[in-house]
């Protein structure tokens, strides 16, 4: 009897060893968003190729953008990381870096690599003198306009300034070409801060100074919010803007219900897809116009939505994680997925990329004019305050200046605590 | 003597039999609850592989109760959401239960069908109503309004908008504004009520079926009409059931999170949404835990008020 038990235990042990041997390939866990930017199929493609080349198993968890932050934090506080590689939005750089949730990559990123990435992109992931993520997605906003509506309204081409755009919109409204010429993503989420940042830039300013102090409640910042409110008051902006996210704003535009909007790069492909778009041929992408007051100094302004690939500090496979990060962010991979703007200058300027993507020149010009959101550790809280008060002003429950003053006061209190 | 020893061993056996359940409750309910209470007195933030803590006493509670406008705004919005939802659910629930209590052809089919909304998971319900209230592309409600010629073809109502109902009405408008009432909040009340009213109706129906029919027969003989029977027999005898509904639903409504967060994210900050935002988005675990306990205290207070108002020795 005892012999039989020993034999059985040996067999079980052998089977277990066999199973472990069969799964010798290391597993890497990655979290990525299923929203704007590279689409899940592309990310899976990249991972499949990496698996083929390195005999690694890559598990990817796709979540909505808004769900990422808390999942990453939950992974960071666990004894063992749930995810080895994360998508690090530039707005989280300061927070994750100051909490040491991700590892610095300065030893891995060579001087040659740095030279080929524009400082505007690379600096987004620098905090306290260290680089915390490898740039992966160079997302930013562009201007989308309906050239047929512009023509019907009696204008030769797209507006060069915000004032010209308002003039065109009023003409469109008067001629019943479109009920609400402007649409945007002004719901109380991160997207609202992005819209406000580029608009403040379009009026010649920034929302925060270089030291991270709020300055949006003076001059350009106030003008930007007053401009947003005026679009709503004059019936030029769709009231639905207040509940729109970027996807809903895109839907408004590609359904032919708006003449103008700004959005991330992802809108371009969908705008030209006959399966979903009613504006194929009439929808165009160009540079975001700025206010007349600064038009002689600056041609355009935008907002950055750069994202990098970072490695969790509690990952037990940091070397393998870097291999994966290096692979998916490599020029070779980025050249193959040109639906998003490559982070490498050499790829952006390559003849191949310019042949495959006719908008590369516009994108390159627009990306050079991006404004960043602030790099402060309690960013989610800072952003939430800003969203709340901007939204109050858009709902016309507070005056723009008063709303921004209150937001600045609360943000200063939050920053003082840190 | 022997009997007492037998009793003692019976008691010991009972404790042994209960031990796994007690251990489980301590592990998954009481333990986390005590930890959350401990957390509420700390300034707690996540760090790699754990949480850093610093004792701050009652500072988290003081911050919410004294320094935070956001907290009191969330209280007002939550109170409005709770009161209106509860009122609508009770009135509709009692009305539906009264109908279902009558004999009519196909009653069992109607009873089964009426429970369907309650079978829909909250997340699905929230998404469904979000689409019903959506704009021109998918919005079923706007589509229906256009088909019925209530709206012209080009008009799209923003159902989840932020306009204050009756804003122009002198006192009511100001009150609604102060309470944070918006069109979107009222639409979410519609969505939540649609799902929960069937449950209320069935609980009331169960109560109705315990009322002896002889009481109604006697009342009929005395010449009482529908209204007098309702106010003098039905509602008084439903008191125990209504108390259960009130306490349960108040608890659920006061800590509502899912339906509001799914449809509106942070645009409508009820206490549940605020707690989530502070605890999980801003990562102030201590402050979030303090908020949770404040919500629990509010619910406890309301439950005590209900019990004082409705509870009687004989249950009626």
């Amino acid at each position: 009897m005892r012999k039989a038990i020993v034999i059985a235990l040996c067999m079980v042990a052998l089977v277990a060893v066999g199973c472990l041997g069969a799964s010798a390939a290391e597993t890497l866990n990655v979290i990525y968003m299923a929203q704007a930017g590279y689409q899940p199929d592309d990310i899976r493609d990249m991972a499949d190729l990496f698996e083929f080349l390195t005999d690694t198993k890559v598990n990817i968890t796709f979540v909505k953008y808004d769900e990422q932050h808390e999942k990453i934090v939950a992974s960071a506080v666990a004894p063992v990381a749930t995810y080895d590689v994360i998508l690090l939005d530039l707005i989280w750089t300061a927070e994750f870096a100051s909490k040491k949730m991700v590892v610095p990559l300065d030893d891995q990123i060579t001087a040659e690599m740095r030279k080929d990435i524009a400082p505007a992109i690379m600096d987004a992931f620098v905090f306290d003198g260290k680089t915390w993520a490898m740039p992966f997605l160079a997302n930013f906003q562009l201007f989308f306009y309906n050239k047929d509506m512009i023509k019907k309204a009696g204008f030769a081409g797209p507006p060069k300034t915000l004032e010209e755009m308002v003039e065109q919109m009023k003409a469109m409204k008067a001629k019943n070409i479109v009920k609400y010429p402007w649409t945007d993503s002004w719901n109380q989420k991160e997207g609202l801060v992005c819209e406000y940042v580029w608009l403040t830039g379009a009026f010649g300013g920034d929302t925060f100074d270089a030291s991270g102090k709020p300055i949006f409640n003076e001059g350009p910042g106030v003008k930007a919010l007053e401009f947003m409110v005026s679009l709503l008051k004059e019936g030029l902006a769709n009231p639905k803007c207040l509940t729109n996210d970027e996807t809903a704003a895109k839907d408004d535009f590609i359904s032919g219900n708006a003449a103008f909007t700004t959005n991330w790069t992802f809108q371009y492909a969908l705008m030209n897809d006959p399966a979903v778009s009613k504006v194929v041929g009439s929808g165009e992408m160009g540079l975001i116009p700025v206010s007349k007051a600064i038009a002689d100094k600056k041609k355009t302004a935008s907002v950055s939505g750069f994202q990098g690939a970072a490695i969790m500090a509690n990952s037990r496979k940091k070397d393998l994680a870097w291999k994966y990060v290096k692979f998916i962010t490599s020029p070779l991979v980025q050249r193959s997925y040109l639906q998003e703007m490559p982070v490498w200058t050499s790829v952006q300027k390559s003849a191949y990329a310019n042949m495959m993507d006719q908008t590369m020149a516009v994108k390159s010009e627009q990306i050079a004019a991006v404004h960043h959101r602030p790099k402060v550790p309690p960013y989610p809280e800072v952003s939430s305050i800003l969203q709340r008060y901007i939204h109050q002003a858009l709902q016309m429950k507070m005056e723009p200046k008063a709303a921004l003053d209150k937001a600045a006061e609360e943000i200063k209190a939050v920053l003082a605590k840190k | 003597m022997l009997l007492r020893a037998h009793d003692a061993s019976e008691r010991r056996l009972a404790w042994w039999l209960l031990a796994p359940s007690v251990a489980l409750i301590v592990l998954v309910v009481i333990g986390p609850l005590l930890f959350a209470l401990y957390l509420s007195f700390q300034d707690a933030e996540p760090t790699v592989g754990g949480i850093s803590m610093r004792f701050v006493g009652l500072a988290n509670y003081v911050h919410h109760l004294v320094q935070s406008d956001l907290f009191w705004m969330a209280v007002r919005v939550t109170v409005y959401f709770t009161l209106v939802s509860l009122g609508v659910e009770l009135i509709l629930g009692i009305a539906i239960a009264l109908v279902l209590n009558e004999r009519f052809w196909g009653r069992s089919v109607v009873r089964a069908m009426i429970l369907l909304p309650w079978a829909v998971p909250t997340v699905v319900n929230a998404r469904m109503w979000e689409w019903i209230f959506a704009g021109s592309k998918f919005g079923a409600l706007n589509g229906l309004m256009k088909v019925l010629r209530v709206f012209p073809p080009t008009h799209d109502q923003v159902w989840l908008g932020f306009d204050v109902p009756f804003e122009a009405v002198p006192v009511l408008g100001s009150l609604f504004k102060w309470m944070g009432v918006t069109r979107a909040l009222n639409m979410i009340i519609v969505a939540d009520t649609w799902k929960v009213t069937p449950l209320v109706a069935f609980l009331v129906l169960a109560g109705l079926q315990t009322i002896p029919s002889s009481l109604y027969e006697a009342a009929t003989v005395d010449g009482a009409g529908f209204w007098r029977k309702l106010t003098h027999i039905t509602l008084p005898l439903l008191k125990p059931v209504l108390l259960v509904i009130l306490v349960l639903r108040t608890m659920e409504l006061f800590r509502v999170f899912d339906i509001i967060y799914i449809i509106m994210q942070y645009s409508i900050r009820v206490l549940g949404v605020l707690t989530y935002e502070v605890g999980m988005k801003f990562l102030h675990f201590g402050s979030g835990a303090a908020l949770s306990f404040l919500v629990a205290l509010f619910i406890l207070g309301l439950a005590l008020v209900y019990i004082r108002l409705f509870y009687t020795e004989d249950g009626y």
Side-chain angles (χ1 to χ4, degrees):
Chain A
M1 181 65 195
R2 193 181 293 177
K3 204 186 263 183
I5 290 170
V6 169
I7 289 168
L9 282 172
C10 286
M11 284 178 74
V12 168
L14 278 171
V15 169
V17 168
C19 289
L20 289 172
S23 62
E26 276 207 275
T27 302
L28 205 60
N29 294 304
V30 178
I31 184 168
Y32 194 80
M33 65 169 175
Q35 211 155 309
Y38 293 113
Q39 293 304 291
D41 286 351
D42 303 334
I43 297 293
R44 190 61 256 175
D45 272 356
M46 297 174 194
D48 288 346
L49 195 54
F50 182 76
E51 284 183 348
F52 175 75
L53 294 170
T54 61
D55 193 28
T56 305
K57 173 97 185 71
V58 182
N59 293 328
I60 307 176
T61 305
F62 291 103
V63 295
K64 282 177 78 173
Y65 170 83
D66 296 298
E67 293 168 16
Q68 285 182 111
H69 185 266
E70 68 193 64
K71 285 194 184 293
I72 292 166
V73 171
S75 171
V77 300
V80 180
T82 316
Y83 310 109
D84 302 291
V85 176
I86 61 160
L87 181 74
L88 189 141
D89 195 322
L90 68 99
I91 55 177
W92 303 331
T93 304
E95 182 190 7
F96 290 171
S98 62
K99 289 191 163 84
K100 302 282 187 290
M101 288 179 173
V102 289
V103 292
L105 301 177
D106 299 271
D107 294 343
Q108 281 82 8
I109 302 171
T110 63
E112 198 185 349
M113 287 159 93
R114 276 182 201 280
K115 216 170 74 181
D116 199 11
I117 296 175
I121 300 174
M122 190 55 100
D123 291 351
F125 305 105
V126 175
F127 181 77
D128 259 355
K130 289 181 180 152
T131 311
W132 301 89
M134 181 67 199
F136 177 50
L137 181 72
N139 213 351
F140 53 96
Q141 291 216 4
L142 287 133
F143 186 51
F144 295 89
Y145 58 91
N146 188 312
K147 65 180 183 194
D148 288 354
M149 289 183 186
I150 292 172
K151 211 169 165 183
K152 270 188 203 163
F155 297 90
K160 295 278 185 293
T161 64
L162 292 174
E163 289 79 0
E164 265 180 48
M165 188 175 74
V166 169
E167 191 191 337
Q168 292 192 4
M169 290 197 285
K170 282 179 176 168
M172 286 172 188
K173 210 168 162 69
K175 291 180 180 175
N176 278 328
I177 294 164
V178 61
K179 191 175 180 184
Y180 298 112
W182 179 266
T183 189
D184 218 329
S185 49
W186 291 350
N187 72 342
Q188 208 178 311
K189 281 169 109 172
E190 189 55 37
L192 177 58
V193 176
C194 296
E195 302 298 337
Y196 178 65
V197 165
W198 80 251
L199 256 164
T200 303
F203 280 95
D206 264 304
T207 47
F208 288 73
D209 67 13
S211 66
K213 213 170 89 231
I215 50 168
F216 51 75
N217 57 330
E218 308 151 9
V222 179
K223 282 180 189 159
L225 187 53
E226 282 170 346
F227 179 77
M228 291 162 96
V229 172
S230 74
L231 292 186
L232 286 163
K233 272 185 178 163
E234 291 172 40
L236 300 174
N238 194 328
K240 199 164 81 66
C241 286
L242 269 65
T243 59
N244 272 359
D245 59 6
E246 290 93 336
T247 310
K250 175 265 295 173
D251 284 338
D252 284 345
F253 187 84
I254 69 174
S255 306
N257 293 331
F260 302 109
T261 189
T262 60
N263 214 327
W264 305 102
T265 47
F266 83 109
Q267 180 165 313
Y268 182 75
L270 294 162
M271 180 177 79
N272 291 306
D273 180 356
V276 293
S277 174
K278 287 182 184 171
V279 297
V280 178
S282 56
E284 291 277 351
M285 186 172 81
L287 297 175
I288 298 176
V290 294
S291 134
K292 206 159 73 178
I294 69 152
D296 53 342
K297 290 192 284 295
K298 277 187 175 178
K299 193 175 165 187
T300 184
S302 182
V303 57
S304 60
F306 303 152
Q307 296 184 336
I311 299 165
M312 297 295 281
N314 55 347
S315 165
R316 291 183 179 176
K317 298 162 191 164
K318 293 190 182 74
D319 290 343
L320 183 64
W322 169 247
K323 259 189 200 170
Y324 174 75
V325 168
K326 193 179 174 188
F327 175 76
I328 60 166
T329 60
S330 65
L332 189 71
V333 170
Q334 296 230 319
R335 246 174 67 105
S336 312
Y337 294 91
L338 287 170
Q339 54 272 54
E340 288 300 329
M341 183 77 167
V343 297
W344 305 90
T345 309
S346 59
V347 179
Q348 290 171 16
K349 289 184 172 169
S350 69
Y352 173 78
N354 281 277
M355 181 187 72
M356 296 302 288
D357 183 357
Q358 304 293 314
T359 65
M360 194 57 81
V362 172
K363 285 180 181 172
S364 299
E365 196 172 350
Q366 188 70 88
I367 203 170
V370 293
H371 290 254
H372 295 311
R373 285 160 285 164
K375 232 186 270 182
V376 288
Y379 182 79
E381 204 166 346
V382 165
S383 173
S384 173
I385 293 166
L386 200 48
Q387 288 167 40
R388 203 167 69 239
Y389 283 106
I390 292 173
H391 214 260
Q392 285 285 306
L394 295 177
Q395 290 175 41
M396 291 168 215
K397 288 173 184 167
M398 283 180 96
E399 285 300 315
K401 172 71 176 149
L404 293 171
D405 282 342
K406 196 89 176 70
E409 183 194 320
E410 283 189 26
I411 287 169
K412 279 175 188 165
V414 167
L415 294 175
K417 270 194 274 182
K418 295 291 152 185
Chain B
M1 185 69 193
L2 200 67
L3 205 65
R4 217 176 308 160
H6 175 74
D7 273 357
S9 74
E10 282 279 296
R11 266 200 301 274
R12 263 200 306 276
L13 177 66
W15 276 112
W16 277 113
L17 291 172
L18 277 174
S21 307
V22 171
L24 199 68
I25 288 166
V26 167
L27 204 70
V28 301
V29 179
I30 297 169
L33 201 71
L34 291 174
F35 180 68
L37 185 64
Y38 168 74
L39 210 57
S40 73
F41 301 118
Q42 311 286 328
D43 177 11
E45 305 247 326
T47 53
V48 177
I51 302 171
S52 72
M53 295 197 214
R54 189 172 57 88
F55 182 74
V56 290
L58 291 170
N60 290 326
Y61 291 93
V62 171
H63 168 75
H64 293 306
L65 291 169
V66 180
Q67 298 162 334
S68 173
D69 294 341
L70 212 54
F71 171 76
W72 289 108
M73 181 47 122
V75 169
R76 294 197 291 270
V77 175
T78 309
V79 166
Y80 176 85
F81 181 79
T82 304
L83 288 178
V84 176
S85 297
L86 203 55
V88 174
E89 282 166 20
L90 275 175
I91 292 164
L92 283 178
I94 291 168
I96 292 167
L98 287 169
V99 171
L100 293 180
N101 201 33
E102 295 299 316
R103 289 183 186 281
F104 58 89
W105 185 83
R107 182 172 69 164
S108 53
V109 176
V110 175
R111 277 185 183 183
M113 277 179 64
I114 215 124
L115 203 58
L116 280 178
W118 194 66
V120 176
T122 307
V123 175
V124 177
N125 182 53
R127 278 273 175 258
M128 182 179 78
W129 281 94
E130 190 185 5
W131 282 51
I132 288 170
F133 295 139
S136 55
K137 203 173 176 189
F138 317 105
L141 190 53
N142 275 324
L144 181 69
M145 291 298 189
K146 285 172 190 174
V147 167
L148 297 174
R149 305 283 168 89
V150 177
F151 293 164
T154 53
H155 180 74
D156 263 329
Q157 176 64 51
V158 183
W159 295 106
L160 296 172
F162 298 94
D163 40 328
V164 179
F166 307 108
E167 194 167 9
V169 177
V171 178
L172 197 64
S174 312
L175 179 71
F176 277 173
K177 205 168 176 176
W178 179 76
M179 289 194 86
V181 181
T182 57
R183 184 190 296 266
L185 182 62
N186 286 332
M187 288 299 134
I188 292 178
I189 288 172
V190 169
D192 193 55
T193 303
W194 179 85
K195 179 176 154 52
V196 182
T197 299
L199 174 71
V200 174
F202 267 76
L203 288 171
V204 174
L205 183 62
L208 283 174
Q209 290 178 340
T210 63
I211 301 173
S213 56
S214 57
L215 293 176
Y216 291 108
E217 286 157 13
T220 308
V221 169
D222 290 342
F226 168 79
W227 191 249
R228 280 186 81 83
K229 283 180 194 169
L230 181 72
T231 52
H232 287 75
I233 301 169
T234 310
L235 290 179
L237 293 179
L238 279 177
K239 242 205 282 191
V241 174
L242 292 179
L243 178 64
V244 169
I245 293 169
L246 278 173
V247 172
L248 278 178
R249 286 302 295 149
T250 301
M251 279 170 65
E252 284 177 356
L253 288 163
F254 218 85
R255 58 183 175 82
V256 66
F257 167 74
D258 40 20
I259 193 166
I260 291 181
Y261 182 76
I262 290 163
I263 297 178
M264 298 300 292
Q265 286 81 48
Y266 300 106
S267 301
I268 295 178
R269 277 186 183 80
V270 285
L271 284 165
V273 172
L274 182 66
T275 305
Y276 177 80
E277 186 177 39
V278 170
M280 300 309 295
K281 194 180 172 194
F282 304 158
L283 307 174
H284 301 324
F285 296 156
S287 191
L291 261 174
S292 306
F293 277 95
L294 286 172
V295 174
L297 286 172
F298 273 117
I299 293 169
L300 185 70
L302 282 166
L304 289 173
V305 169
Y306 287 147
I307 288 163
R308 281 296 294 266
L309 286 174
F310 288 91
Y311 186 76
T312 48
E313 279 298 315
D314 58 359
Y316 294 106

